Amino acid sequence: QVQLVESGGGLVQAGDSLRLSCAASGRTFSSYALGWFRQAPGKEREFVARISWSVGMPYYADSVKGRFTISRDNDKNTVYLQMNSLKPEDTAVYYCASRTHSGVYDYWGQGTQVTVSS
């Protein structure tokens, strides 16, 4: 059974940093990419970043480029999202999800809340 467990969310002030973690199990993740998404109240879920397990190539949404960094630890089956220079508009529930070769995100974590106060 595939499981994705996020952690690291919290309440911070604008300009602060947070690091989210996503611990993955139940799949040979070296063959899959893993992405981060977020959903703010009243808004649709949006893509934040993704990284492949094998090559480690990162992709970012324009809204977080230069502020967020996605990375992974293959030995720990864990993907991280380092978030710097946080803004109130980054407030959302952050989810990690596993991406198949066809581009479908088929497994999701339960989410972790990030709140950035101004």
Side-chain angles (χ1 to χ4, degrees):
Q1 182 179 357
V2 176
Q3 283 193 318
L4 301 170
V5 181
E6 304 97 332
S7 61
L11 172 62
V12 297
Q13 293 186 330
D16 285 351
S17 299
L18 275 177
R19 188 177 81 157
L20 306 183
S21 300
C22 175
S25 62
R27 169 177 272 180
T28 305
F29 283 95
S30 59
S31 300
Y32 295 86
L34 197 142
W36 284 97
F37 290 76
R38 66 187 181 186
Q39 188 167 20
K43 295 187 177 181
E44 293 187 353
R45 188 174 298 183
E46 64 173 354
F47 169 78
V48 175
R50 77 166 186 267
I51 189 168
S52 63
W53 283 99
S54 56
V55 178
M57 180 69 70
Y59 297 91
Y60 299 97
D62 288 343
S63 58
V64 306
K65 276 182 184 176
R67 300 188 299 122
F68 290 11
T69 302
I70 189 170
S71 62
R72 84 265 191 254
D73 184 330
N74 291 347
D75 291 336
K76 295 182 178 180
N77 262 4
T78 299
V79 174
Y80 304 98
L81 186 68
Q82 178 66 43
M83 307 186 295
N84 298 330
S85 302
L86 283 162
K87 304 175 182 180
E89 51 263 44
D90 294 318
T91 295
V93 177
Y94 284 71
Y95 300 88
C96 65
S98 178
R99 185 176 185 262
T100 68
H101 297 299
S102 59
V104 174
Y105 287 91
D106 56 348
Y107 289 97
W108 294 79
Q110 82 288 351
T112 185
Q113 176 71 47
V114 172
T115 303
V116 184
S117 63
S118 58

